[in-house]
Amino acid sequence: MPWRLLVAAMLILGYLANAYIPRTSRLIGGLSSVRASSTAAGRRNAKKSKGDEAESALPFKMEDLVNLCKRKGFVFQSSEIYSPMAGFFDYGPLGVELKNNIKKLWWRDMVQRREDIVGLDSSIIASPSIWQASGHVAGFSDPMVDCKESKLRFRADQVFWGKLETVDGQEACYVTVMESDNMLDVATTAAIKKAKKAGVAGPFKTLKLSDLTEATAEDYPKIPSPATGEPGHLTPPRDFNLMFQTSVGAMSDASSVAYLRPETAQGIFTNFLSVQRTARMKVPFGIAQIGKAFRNEITPRNFIFRSREFEQMEIEYFIPPEDEAWPAFHQTWIDNSWNWLKSIGLKEEFMHKSVHESNKLAHYARACTDITFTFPFGTQELMGIAARGNFDLTQHGTSSGKVMDYFDAAENRKYVPHVIEPSLGVDRLFLALLTSAFSEEEVEGEKRTLLSFHPAIAPIKVAVFPLVNNKPELSALARELYTTLKQRYMCEWDVSGAIGRRYRRADEAGTPFCLTVDFESLEDNSVTVRSRDSMQQVRMKIPDLLPFLSKEIDGFSL
Ligand code: GAP
C-alpha cells in the first residue's frame, strides 16, 4: 500500500511544517508538548495549564527569530554539515554571549548579592542510585504508541481521537487527529465526511476528542492510526523513559549503566548536608546550580524551546518543615522570579502565571506555579516554582542510609527541611528574551530589524566606528577607544560600509550603543554616542564614556 504510506507521510509532514527541525529527523518521534503522569517525577509532568497552546498574538513568526538567529550567529542547528539531529543546538558568537550574560546575571542576583544562597557545580553523571531514589528510573517517561504498519511512533497524549454518533446514539465512525489549535474542526469535518461515505446520515452529536491515554480497551481497536488512517494498527501506549543512558568504565554491562542527568536539582539534594556544613548555612537557605541537563524528548520542537540538551538554573531553597511555613516562602519565590525576569528585559505583557491544579500535583508536592510566556508559537511554560515538601531529601536518606537531618542549633531540634524549587531553563529564557526584544520597523523607507535587549543582557555592549576608514588618525583614535573599552565590555569594531549600514548591523545584533569617532573628535576629544532604541545621538567626552556605560549596563557607576 505505498500510496497510503505516502498520504500518511504527507499528512505528518504537513503537521511538521511549522516546526524548525529537519523533517526527516523528526519522523522518528511522535508529536507532543505536554507530559501527563502522576509518577514520582510527575511534578514536572502535570503541567497542562490553561495558557498552554494559546494562540500567539505577536506580529512576527517563529521563522523570523530562527532566521535572525542563524543569520547573525546566535544559534545554529547542531551537526549542520551532516544530517542534523533534532533537539540539539550550537550557540554561535552572539548566542554564547547572550547565554553567558543570562547566567551571569542570574548568578549575580541569586547568589552573589544574597547571603542566604550559595552555589554548587555537581557532576552530570553520578551514581544511578540517585535516579532510582528520585523516581526518575521508574517514572520519568512519556506514553508512546507505535503504528505497526508505518513504523512511526507518536506521543499518546498528542494523538486525539473521537467517536462520532448520531443523535439517536448510533455509532458512525472513529477519527484521529494530531493535536493542534483547530483539531476539533478538522476532526469534525473528517468524521462527518467519513460517516456519510459509510452511509450513516446525521444529524450527529457534537464530536468530543480525547487523547490516546484516555481510550478504553473497547475503543482502542477502532481508533485509526494517524499514519495510515486505518484502525488496528496502533499499539497500546507504552512508557518511554526520557533519560539518556551511558556506560561508565571499560565494561559495558548492566552494572556499568549510568544516566546523563535530566535535571540539575538532584545534585543539590545529594550535596545538601556537605554544602550546609561547609558553608555553615542556617535554614532558611538555598543552594543554586547552573548546568546542562539532558532529556531524550520524543518531540523536541519549537527551536530551542524543547531540546534534548539544555541548561537549567535551579535553586533548592530549604525551609522549616511546618505546614504553615511553606506558603509565604513559595509566594516570595514566585514574586522574586517574576520581578527578576522583568528586570532583565522580559516584557510583562507576555508573562503570565499558571497555578497547577492540586489534583494534578505529584503526591508529595504542595503547590506549583509556572511562569508562562507568550512565544511566537503560543503561551507555554518558561519556569516552574514548586513547593516540594521533603520528598527528595527523605528518598535519598532512605536509599543511601545516610541521615539527612539538619540540626537547628537555635531551636535545638533536628528535622529534614522542606524545599521551594524555582527552576528555569537558560535556553527557554534565551528564546523569551529574543521574543521580547525583537521588532521590525521602517526607518526612512528602509526596514530596520531591532533587538532591544536590556544593555546588561545584550551580547555586544558597544560598537566603535571611525566615521571613515581611510583616515589613519581617525582609525587610530577609534581603535584606541575600542581597545580600552574592550577591557571591560564585549565590543565590536566595524569599519565596513556607510555609517547607516553599520548602525543597522549593530541594531540587529542588539548592541545598545554605537560610538563614532569623527573629525571633530580629533579636536574636542568627544565622540558621537548613538542609542539603539531611540536612535538619538549625543556628543560625549571620551573620559565620560566609561561611567556612562557602566551606569547603563551594570546599573551603577563606581
Ligand atoms: N527540577 C525541576 C525540573 O527539572 P521541569 O519543569 O522539568 O522541572 C524546569 O524543568 C525548567 O527547565 C522548565 O521550566 C524549562 O524552563 C526547562 N526545560 C525543561 N525541559 C526542557 C527542554 N526539553 N528543553 C529546554 N528547556 C527545558
Side-chain angles (χ1 to χ4, degrees), residues 42-49 354-362 366-371 381 383-385:
R43 128 193 72 88
R44 63 184 65 67
N45 296 346
K47 292 214 165 170
K48 199 155 198 165
S49 53
S354 167
V355 179
H356 288 217
E357 291 161 34
S358 54
N359 60 351
K360 291 204 177 147
L361 290 169
R366 303 291 172 92
C368 186
T369 296
D370 288 340
I371 296 182
E381 175 194 333
M383 73 174 293
I385 302 118

Short mmCIF file of all heavy atoms in Angstrom, two decimals, residues 42-49 354-362 366-371 381 383-385:
data_model
loop_
_atom_site.label_atom_id
_atom_site.label_comp_id
_atom_site.label_asym_id
_atom_site.label_seq_id
_atom_site.Cartn_x
_atom_site.Cartn_y
_atom_site.Cartn_z
N GLY A 42 6.56 13.22 38.60
CA GLY A 42 5.39 13.83 37.97
C GLY A 42 5.21 15.31 38.20
O GLY A 42 4.42 15.93 37.52
N ARG A 43 5.96 15.88 39.13
CA ARG A 43 5.83 17.32 39.34
C ARG A 43 6.09 18.07 38.07
O ARG A 43 5.46 19.08 37.79
CB ARG A 43 6.78 17.70 40.46
CG ARG A 43 7.72 18.84 40.19
CD ARG A 43 8.78 18.87 41.25
NE ARG A 43 9.69 17.78 41.06
CZ ARG A 43 10.76 17.86 40.28
NH1 ARG A 43 11.00 18.93 39.61
NH2 ARG A 43 11.57 16.84 40.16
N ARG A 44 7.03 17.58 37.27
CA ARG A 44 7.31 18.28 36.03
C ARG A 44 6.33 17.87 34.94
O ARG A 44 6.33 18.40 33.86
CB ARG A 44 8.73 18.01 35.57
CG ARG A 44 9.00 16.59 35.25
CD ARG A 44 10.44 16.37 34.90
NE ARG A 44 11.34 16.62 36.00
CZ ARG A 44 11.38 15.88 37.10
NH1 ARG A 44 10.56 14.85 37.24
NH2 ARG A 44 12.22 16.14 38.06
N ASN A 45 5.47 16.89 35.28
CA ASN A 45 4.61 16.37 34.23
C ASN A 45 3.22 16.99 34.23
O ASN A 45 2.62 17.15 33.18
CB ASN A 45 4.48 14.86 34.38
CG ASN A 45 5.83 14.18 34.17
OD1 ASN A 45 6.76 14.80 33.67
ND2 ASN A 45 5.92 12.93 34.54
N ALA A 46 2.70 17.28 35.41
CA ALA A 46 1.32 17.75 35.46
C ALA A 46 1.26 19.22 35.08
O ALA A 46 0.93 20.07 35.88
CB ALA A 46 0.76 17.55 36.86
N LYS A 47 1.62 19.52 33.85
CA LYS A 47 1.83 20.91 33.50
C LYS A 47 0.91 21.40 32.41
O LYS A 47 1.14 22.43 31.83
CB LYS A 47 3.28 21.11 33.10
CG LYS A 47 4.19 20.95 34.30
CD LYS A 47 5.35 21.84 34.24
CE LYS A 47 6.01 21.91 35.62
NZ LYS A 47 7.25 22.56 35.60
N LYS A 48 -0.12 20.65 32.08
CA LYS A 48 -1.01 21.13 31.04
C LYS A 48 -1.86 22.23 31.65
O LYS A 48 -2.85 21.99 32.30
CB LYS A 48 -1.86 20.00 30.52
CG LYS A 48 -2.45 20.34 29.18
CD LYS A 48 -2.77 19.10 28.41
CE LYS A 48 -2.91 19.42 26.96
NZ LYS A 48 -2.87 18.25 26.13
N SER A 49 -1.42 23.43 31.50
CA SER A 49 -2.07 24.53 32.19
C SER A 49 -2.92 25.33 31.23
O SER A 49 -2.81 25.18 30.03
CB SER A 49 -1.00 25.41 32.83
OG SER A 49 -0.07 25.78 31.86
N SER A 354 0.57 30.49 35.93
CA SER A 354 -0.34 29.36 35.78
C SER A 354 -0.19 28.47 37.01
O SER A 354 0.88 27.91 37.25
CB SER A 354 0.02 28.62 34.50
OG SER A 354 -0.63 27.39 34.48
N VAL A 355 -1.27 28.40 37.79
CA VAL A 355 -1.22 27.63 39.04
C VAL A 355 -1.66 26.20 38.73
O VAL A 355 -2.71 25.99 38.14
CB VAL A 355 -2.17 28.26 40.08
CG1 VAL A 355 -2.15 27.44 41.38
CG2 VAL A 355 -1.78 29.71 40.34
N HIS A 356 -0.85 25.23 39.12
CA HIS A 356 -1.21 23.83 38.85
C HIS A 356 -2.41 23.44 39.69
O HIS A 356 -2.47 23.76 40.87
CB HIS A 356 -0.06 22.90 39.20
CG HIS A 356 1.07 22.99 38.23
ND1 HIS A 356 1.81 21.92 37.84
CD2 HIS A 356 1.56 24.05 37.56
CE1 HIS A 356 2.72 22.32 36.98
NE2 HIS A 356 2.59 23.61 36.80
N GLU A 357 -3.30 22.71 39.05
CA GLU A 357 -4.47 22.24 39.81
C GLU A 357 -3.98 21.21 40.84
O GLU A 357 -3.15 20.37 40.52
CB GLU A 357 -5.47 21.59 38.87
CG GLU A 357 -6.11 22.61 37.95
CD GLU A 357 -6.75 21.96 36.73
OE1 GLU A 357 -7.25 20.83 36.86
OE2 GLU A 357 -6.70 22.59 35.66
N SER A 358 -4.54 21.29 42.05
CA SER A 358 -3.99 20.46 43.13
C SER A 358 -4.16 18.96 42.84
O SER A 358 -3.32 18.16 43.22
CB SER A 358 -4.62 20.83 44.46
OG SER A 358 -6.00 20.76 44.34
N ASN A 359 -5.21 18.59 42.10
CA ASN A 359 -5.39 17.15 41.83
C ASN A 359 -4.41 16.63 40.77
O ASN A 359 -4.36 15.44 40.50
CB ASN A 359 -6.84 16.84 41.43
CG ASN A 359 -7.25 17.57 40.17
OD1 ASN A 359 -6.52 18.45 39.69
ND2 ASN A 359 -8.40 17.23 39.62
N LYS A 360 -3.64 17.55 40.17
CA LYS A 360 -2.67 17.09 39.16
C LYS A 360 -1.24 17.12 39.69
O LYS A 360 -0.30 16.78 38.99
CB LYS A 360 -2.76 17.97 37.91
CG LYS A 360 -4.04 17.78 37.15
CD LYS A 360 -3.87 18.19 35.71
CE LYS A 360 -5.15 17.93 34.95
NZ LYS A 360 -5.34 18.90 33.89
N LEU A 361 -1.09 17.54 40.95
CA LEU A 361 0.26 17.59 41.52
C LEU A 361 0.72 16.20 41.90
O LEU A 361 -0.10 15.33 42.23
CB LEU A 361 0.25 18.45 42.78
CG LEU A 361 0.04 19.95 42.60
CD1 LEU A 361 -0.21 20.60 43.97
CD2 LEU A 361 1.25 20.59 41.93
N ALA A 362 2.04 15.99 41.86
CA ALA A 362 2.58 14.75 42.41
C ALA A 362 2.22 14.69 43.89
O ALA A 362 2.07 15.74 44.53
CB ALA A 362 4.08 14.73 42.23
N ARG A 366 3.33 20.27 47.30
CA ARG A 366 2.30 21.08 47.96
C ARG A 366 1.62 22.00 46.95
O ARG A 366 0.43 22.25 47.03
CB ARG A 366 2.93 21.93 49.05
CG ARG A 366 3.69 21.16 50.10
CD ARG A 366 2.71 20.36 50.92
NE ARG A 366 3.35 19.44 51.84
CZ ARG A 366 3.66 19.73 53.08
NH1 ARG A 366 3.43 20.91 53.57
NH2 ARG A 366 4.20 18.83 53.85
N ALA A 367 2.42 22.57 46.08
CA ALA A 367 1.89 23.54 45.11
C ALA A 367 2.93 23.75 44.02
O ALA A 367 4.11 23.48 44.23
CB ALA A 367 1.61 24.87 45.81
N CYS A 368 2.47 24.22 42.89
CA CYS A 368 3.42 24.60 41.84
C CYS A 368 2.79 25.71 40.99
O CYS A 368 1.62 25.61 40.60
CB CYS A 368 3.76 23.40 40.97
SG CYS A 368 5.05 23.78 39.78
N THR A 369 3.54 26.74 40.79
CA THR A 369 3.10 27.82 39.90
C THR A 369 4.12 27.96 38.78
O THR A 369 5.32 28.03 39.06
CB THR A 369 2.99 29.15 40.69
OG1 THR A 369 1.97 29.00 41.67
CG2 THR A 369 2.63 30.32 39.77
N ASP A 370 3.64 27.96 37.56
CA ASP A 370 4.54 28.20 36.43
C ASP A 370 4.47 29.67 36.06
O ASP A 370 3.39 30.28 36.13
CB ASP A 370 4.09 27.42 35.19
CG ASP A 370 4.35 25.93 35.33
OD1 ASP A 370 5.19 25.56 36.19
OD2 ASP A 370 3.72 25.16 34.59
N ILE A 371 5.59 30.20 35.64
CA ILE A 371 5.55 31.48 34.92
C ILE A 371 5.57 31.09 33.46
O ILE A 371 6.50 30.41 33.00
CB ILE A 371 6.71 32.40 35.31
CG1 ILE A 371 6.57 32.77 36.79
CG2 ILE A 371 6.72 33.65 34.42
CD1 ILE A 371 7.61 33.71 37.34
N GLU A 381 5.12 27.13 29.23
CA GLU A 381 5.90 27.26 30.47
C GLU A 381 7.31 27.79 30.21
O GLU A 381 8.02 27.28 29.35
CB GLU A 381 6.01 25.87 31.11
CG GLU A 381 6.90 25.86 32.33
CD GLU A 381 7.28 24.45 32.75
OE1 GLU A 381 6.51 23.51 32.48
OE2 GLU A 381 8.36 24.29 33.35
N MET A 383 9.17 28.82 33.33
CA MET A 383 9.81 28.27 34.53
C MET A 383 8.75 27.77 35.51
O MET A 383 7.58 28.13 35.39
CB MET A 383 10.71 29.32 35.20
CG MET A 383 9.99 30.42 35.92
SD MET A 383 11.15 31.51 36.83
CE MET A 383 11.80 30.42 38.13
N GLY A 384 9.17 26.94 36.45
CA GLY A 384 8.25 26.45 37.47
C GLY A 384 8.78 26.80 38.84
O GLY A 384 10.00 26.80 39.06
N ILE A 385 7.84 27.10 39.76
CA ILE A 385 8.24 27.35 41.15
C ILE A 385 7.40 26.39 42.00
O ILE A 385 6.19 26.57 42.15
CB ILE A 385 7.99 28.82 41.57
CG1 ILE A 385 8.76 29.76 40.63
CG2 ILE A 385 8.43 29.06 43.02
CD1 ILE A 385 7.91 30.68 39.86
#
